Amino acid sequence: MPAFIAFPSPLGNITLQSEGEFITGCDIGRESWQPESLNSPRAATKPPPPFLVDAAKQILDYLDGDRVSFDLHVEVSGTAFQHAVWRTLASIPFGATMSYGEIAVAVGVPRAGRAVGAAVAVNPVPLLVPCHRVLGTRRDPVGYDRGAGLDTKLWLLRHESIAFQVTKPRVPSPETVR
């Protein structure tokens, strides 16, 4: 049976889910997200396992600026390609970034930037597998739907002192439109 812990953070409520001794899900700031099993009477009376309490503490320490990496056991479901992308994300250190194209090269499929974006978008454990550290080719923060969306990504980038550039949407000039 899955176990859960929910706690407030500077990004809004965070909910962690586990199966056995592994973290299998992380949700940031979505007030409406409540796993059905979290609402069950048994879940309401059952305290979270100690490793989930420790995981919550590690996340809060990170958000407070007292930690730059996590010592947690994560196990998630996905395709071989998704796992390759998520392993690459997990290797991006605190304060560093990669572009979608760089990740595509790293996983051995250089022209798969859009597929990388799709794999990043379904990362089931944001923060723990740091999808916020992925930027567009112009170092622009794009493609984040966790918590408050792009505002959450910008908060995390600033938190890690990561330089980025917010670019305005490109509007084609009349001579390029035919």
Side-chain angles (χ1 to χ4, degrees), residues 158-171:
R158 288 183 186 112
H159 174 68
E160 295 189 20
S161 300
I162 294 173
F164 60 88
Q165 181 167 337
V166 177
T167 58
K168 293 180 182 176
R170 288 182 40 174
V171 177

Side-chain angles (χ1 to χ4, degrees), residues 6-15 27-31 33-34 147:
F7 53 96
S9 82
L11 302 175
N13 288 335
I14 295 177
T15 303
D27 187 78
I28 304 170
R30 239 186 316 165
E31 297 296 331
W33 186 78
Q34 285 285 331

Side-chain angles (χ1 to χ4, degrees), residues 141-161:
V142 295
Y144 202 78
D145 68 352
R146 309 309 170 112
L150 192 55
D151 287 340
T152 297
K153 184 170 187 164
L154 297 176
W155 190 97
L156 290 165
L157 294 172
R158 288 183 186 112
H159 174 68
E160 295 189 20
S161 300

Side-chain angles (χ1 to χ4, degrees), residues 84-94 96 98 103 106 128-130 133:
V85 170
W86 298 336
R87 277 191 302 275
T88 303
L89 293 178
S91 74
I92 305 171
F94 181 94
M98 289 181 81
I103 294 170
L128 307 180
V129 174
R133 295 179 186 151

